């Protein structure tokens, strides 16, 4: 169990923080914290040092004044010894009056051995202390500080009288005031200089922290190019090097991921880059949709064109296919020469993968038709696509060898979709009849029975449908996406020509 005696200080600390929280800013720079902390320590040190020096100086001035007053009293006692023994009051009065004429001495008094007054001149304290030994008495006259110094008159260790000398402490008070003012002024000036210096130093010391804050903010925005240029030979320098190294590694990883996303789906790429050690061979059974979009007569066409022209043409048309796939959450599984394989429902789950696959197939044919019109107007070669689509169970995963892997889907469903694309005519979309058994699909898609086809590898004919379109609402959205693609195509064409 926790010790209650230990909990009480913690509770008081938390209570104190809660009381201060409403008065503290939400953001308080570390440079200010360091500057204020250093300034507070410097001011405290200056105050303690100034106080000690001031008190020491004042004490020395007081001692010097008391030493002077005691010396004057002792001198008067020595001078008055013989006249006092001879009871020569005239000579004693002369000595006393001569002393009082001095600017520094305000009063002088002579006493007999019993403390009786023999003679006096100037001012004296209202109350007299004991006269048996030397001493000093502090008093005020009209607000002015005075000090009376008493010295016994001794003859062979016998006291025969005493003398008292009164001095004004006003010069000492003024001197002490000047010293106090000078010390306080010097302390304040040095304190201000120290505060300014502490804030300059704090800002300098906190600059790497501000650089790290700017770097992390840039990283949060996705800017992995940001680097801290300052070099230091301390712990902060090691931290800067660690950040720059981390940012460089993240940039390399991001670049690899971006390149990888061009060969596999973004989700697969992120999954691979998140944990490279978990990239192993294997697969899982899924229910998904696959679309094969194949160029009609590509072999004949490629024989009549230069390789560079063929490559450029494929890139243009496959760009349209990729746009349609992205519009309906499809993933380009692979390009196989003149054919694109698109999957829906993997690796990201999609409850509407079948409908999205049908929409993508329709959009590809519409895009190819518009793209052909665009290219014909410029005298460029055009092609047509034939599409096969199927949906059902298949195996999805990383297949291949330990040294070379590929994320893909395989199975009878995939093979049938490939066969249907080969049997479709130019501009057609052929789907297996099993696709339309889904009650959620038939009302949303326009399709006609295409008849039974004998497919290589199957003993029984396969019933098929020809897909002509989707319902009006989906086609409206499709036309908007087609228009966006054509706009981008025209913009890129203008940039290339200029």
């Amino acid at each position: 169990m926790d010790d209650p005696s230990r909990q009480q200080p913690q509770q008081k600390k938390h209570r104190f923080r809660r009381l201060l929280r409403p008065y503290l800013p939400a953001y308080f720079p570390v440079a200010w914290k360091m500057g204020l902390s250093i300034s507070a320590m410097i001011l405290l040190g200056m105050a303690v040092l100034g106080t000690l020096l001031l008190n020491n100086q004042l004490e020395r001035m007081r001692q010097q004044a008391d030493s002077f007053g005691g010396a004057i009293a002792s001198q008067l006692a020595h001078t008055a010894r013989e006249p006092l023994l001879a009871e020569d009051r005239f000579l004693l009065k002369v000595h006393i009056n001569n002393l009082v004429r001095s600017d520094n001495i305000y009063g002088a008094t002579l006493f007999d051995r019993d403390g009786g007054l023999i003679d006096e001149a100037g001012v004296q304290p209202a109350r007299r202390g004991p006269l048996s030994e030397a001493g000093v008495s502090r008093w005020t006259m009209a607000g002015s500080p005075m000090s009376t110094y008493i010295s016994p008159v001794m003859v062979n260790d016998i006291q025969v009288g005493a003398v008292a000398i009164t001095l004004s402490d006003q010069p000492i008070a003024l001197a002490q005031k000047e010293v106090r003012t000078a010390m306080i002024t010097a302390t304040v000036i040095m304190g201000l200089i120290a505060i300014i210096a502490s804030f300059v130093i704090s800002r300098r010391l906190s600059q790497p922290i501000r650089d790290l804050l700017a770097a992390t903010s840039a990283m949060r925005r996705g800017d992995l190019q940001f680097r801290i240029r300052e070099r230091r030979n301390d712990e902060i320098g090691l931290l800067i090097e660690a950040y720059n190294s981390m940012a460089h590694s993240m940039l390399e990883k991001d670049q690899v991921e971006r390149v990888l996303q061009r060969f596999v789906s973004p989700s697969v790429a992120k999954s691979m880059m998140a944990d490279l050690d978990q990239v192993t061979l294997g697969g899982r059974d899924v229910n998904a949709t696959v679309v094969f979009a194949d160029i009609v007569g590509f072999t004949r066409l490629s024989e009549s064109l230069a390789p560079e022209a063929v490559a450029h043409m494929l890139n243009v048309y496959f760009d349209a296919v990729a746009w349609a796939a992205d519009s309906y959450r499809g993933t380009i599984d692979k390009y196989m020469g003149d054919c694109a394989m698109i999957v829906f429902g993997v690796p990201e789950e999609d409850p509407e993968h079948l409908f999205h696959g049908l929409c993508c197939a329709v959009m590809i044919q519409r895009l190819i038709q518009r793209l052909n019109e665009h290219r014909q107007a410029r005298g460029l070669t055009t092609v047509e696509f034939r599409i096969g689509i199927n949906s059902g169970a298949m195996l999805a995963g990383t297949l291949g060898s330990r040294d070379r892997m590929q994320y893909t889907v395989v199975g009878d469903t995939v093979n049938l979709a490939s066969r249907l694309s080969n049997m479709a005519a130019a501009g057609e979309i052929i789907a297996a009849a099993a696709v339309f058994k889904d009650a959620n699909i038939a009302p949303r898609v326009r399709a006609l029975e295409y008849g039974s086809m004998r497919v290589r590898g199957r003993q029984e004919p396969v019933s098929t449908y020809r897909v002509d379109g989707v319902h009006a609402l989906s086609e409206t959205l499709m036309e908007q996406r087609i228009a966006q693609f054509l706009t981008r195509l025209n913009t890129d064409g203008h940039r290339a020509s200029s």
Side-chain angles (χ1 to χ4, degrees):
M1 296 179 63
D2 295 336
D3 188 359
S5 61
R6 295 181 179 180
Q7 291 180 354
Q8 289 180 357
Q10 293 292 333
Q11 293 175 354
K12 292 181 179 179
K13 184 177 180 180
H14 293 321
R15 189 180 302 111
F16 181 72
R17 288 181 177 178
R18 286 196 299 269
L19 291 175
L20 289 180
R21 189 174 296 125
Y23 305 100
L24 296 177
Y27 173 73
F28 200 51
V30 67
W32 281 87
K33 291 180 180 179
M34 295 176 62
L36 291 176
S37 300
I38 297 174
S39 300
M41 290 188 292
I42 291 176
L43 285 178
L44 179 61
M46 292 294 296
V48 172
L49 179 62
T51 301
L52 293 176
L53 292 176
L54 178 62
N55 291 337
N56 181 62
Q57 188 69 15
L58 296 179
E59 182 64 23
R60 290 182 61 184
M61 293 179 66
R62 182 75 267 173
Q63 290 175 358
Q64 291 176 357
D66 289 345
S67 178
F68 175 76
I72 296 297
S74 297
Q75 183 180 4
L76 178 61
H78 179 75
T79 304
R81 182 173 54 184
E82 292 182 2
L84 184 63
L85 291 175
E87 295 183 355
D88 188 348
R89 291 180 175 273
F90 177 77
L91 185 58
L92 290 173
K93 189 174 185 64
V94 170
H95 287 314
I96 293 174
N97 290 334
N98 288 336
L99 283 174
V100 174
R101 289 192 184 97
S102 175
D103 295 335
N104 297 327
I105 300 176
Y106 279 68
T109 308
L110 181 63
F111 304 96
D112 58 20
R113 69 179 63 184
D114 298 324
L117 178 64
I118 296 177
D119 202 354
E120 64 178 351
V123 298
Q124 303 297 328
R127 298 180 61 186
R128 297 170 181 170
L131 303 178
S132 60
E133 58 185 9
V136 59
S137 175
R138 313 288 185 195
W139 55 286
T140 59
M141 182 184 69
S144 178
M146 310 291 286
S147 292
T148 298
Y149 300 91
I150 301 172
S151 178
V153 180
M154 306 295 294
V155 177
N156 296 327
D157 297 332
I158 299 175
Q159 181 177 351
V160 297
V163 296
I165 299 297
T166 299
L167 303 179
S168 175
D169 287 339
Q170 188 67 26
I172 299 176
L174 292 176
Q176 289 178 340
K177 184 177 180 180
E178 292 177 357
V179 171
R180 184 181 292 107
T181 302
M183 291 293 295
I184 292 175
T185 302
T187 302
V188 171
I189 293 175
M190 293 183 67
L192 290 175
I193 295 175
I195 290 174
I196 296 173
S198 66
F199 273 93
V200 173
I201 296 173
S202 299
R203 187 173 180 83
R204 172 62 180 168
L205 292 176
S206 65
Q207 182 61 43
I209 300 178
R210 293 198 300 273
D211 292 340
L212 286 170
L213 179 61
T216 53
S217 298
M219 182 178 293
R220 191 181 300 114
R221 296 192 305 268
D223 181 11
L224 300 179
Q225 300 284 353
F226 190 93
R227 296 292 182 274
I228 302 176
R229 303 302 178 186
E230 184 176 1
R231 293 293 179 267
R232 301 170 63 99
N233 59 349
D234 53 14
E235 293 82 357
I236 296 180
L238 296 177
L239 182 60
I240 291 174
E241 290 181 4
Y243 167 81
N244 288 337
S245 177
M246 179 188 67
H248 180 70
S249 299
M250 292 183 65
L251 178 62
E252 289 184 338
K253 182 179 178 181
D254 182 70
Q255 291 173 341
V256 171
E257 183 175 336
R258 290 177 184 272
V259 173
L260 187 60
Q261 287 179 0
R262 298 184 179 184
F263 294 91
V264 297
S265 69
S267 58
V268 174
K270 289 182 179 180
S271 177
M272 290 180 175
M273 297 302 298
D275 193 350
L276 296 176
D277 294 334
Q278 297 299 321
V279 180
T280 57
L281 295 173
R284 60 188 179 93
D285 292 328
V286 297
N287 193 286
T289 299
V290 60
V291 172
F292 282 86
D294 186 21
I295 297 178
V296 179
F298 177 75
T299 302
R300 174 186 53 80
L301 187 62
S302 60
E303 293 176 352
S304 60
L305 296 176
E308 295 81 4
V310 173
H312 177 72
M313 181 186 67
L314 285 177
N315 290 336
V316 172
Y317 279 101
F318 282 149
D319 187 30
V321 173
W323 181 272
D326 291 339
S327 299
Y328 291 100
R329 300 179 61 180
T331 300
I332 303 293
D333 185 272
K334 63 175 69 72
Y335 294 105
M336 300 171 290
D338 60 334
C339 179
M341 177 181 170
I342 312 169
V343 294
F344 299 82
V346 287
E348 296 181 357
E349 294 186 3
D350 181 10
E352 292 279 350
H353 61 83
L354 177 53
F355 181 68
H356 286 160
L358 291 166
C359 290
C360 177
V362 174
M363 185 174 177
I364 289 175
Q365 295 293 23
R366 302 280 177 85
L367 267 176
I368 298 305
Q369 182 181 359
R370 301 288 184 84
L371 185 56
N372 285 340
E373 294 174 359
H374 177 83
R375 291 175 64 84
Q376 285 176 355
R378 289 163 175 75
L380 301 175
T381 305
T382 60
V383 299
E384 291 185 290
F385 276 74
R386 53 188 179 184
I387 298 176
I389 180 171
N390 195 17
S391 182
M394 58 189 72
L395 179 67
T398 306
L399 307 177
S401 65
R402 293 181 178 273
D403 297 328
R404 188 169 182 83
M405 307 175 187
Q406 180 182 15
Y407 187 91
T408 187
V409 291
V410 295
D412 185 64
T413 301
V414 179
N415 294 335
L416 180 57
S418 177
R419 301 288 188 272
L420 293 177
S421 69
N422 293 331
M423 300 175 67
E428 287 186 340
I429 303 171
I430 304 300
V435 169
F436 294 92
K437 291 181 179 180
D438 189 341
N440 190 38
I441 294 299
R444 304 163 68 185
V445 178
R446 300 197 308 273
L448 296 174
E449 290 189 17
Y450 198 69
S452 298
M453 295 183 178
R454 289 201 171 271
V455 179
R456 181 164 57 89
R458 288 177 176 264
Q459 296 181 353
E460 299 295 330
V462 177
S463 298
T464 59
Y465 277 77
R466 188 188 70 197
V467 179
D468 295 328
V470 293
H471 60 54
L473 182 60
S474 298
E475 287 205 356
T476 300
L477 182 59
M478 185 184 299
E479 289 296 329
Q480 293 177 357
R481 292 172 176 170
I482 291 174
Q484 292 175 1
F485 176 82
L486 295 176
T487 300
R488 190 189 69 168
L489 183 65
N490 289 328
T491 302
D492 293 342
H494 289 312
R495 290 176 180 173
S497 62
S498 59

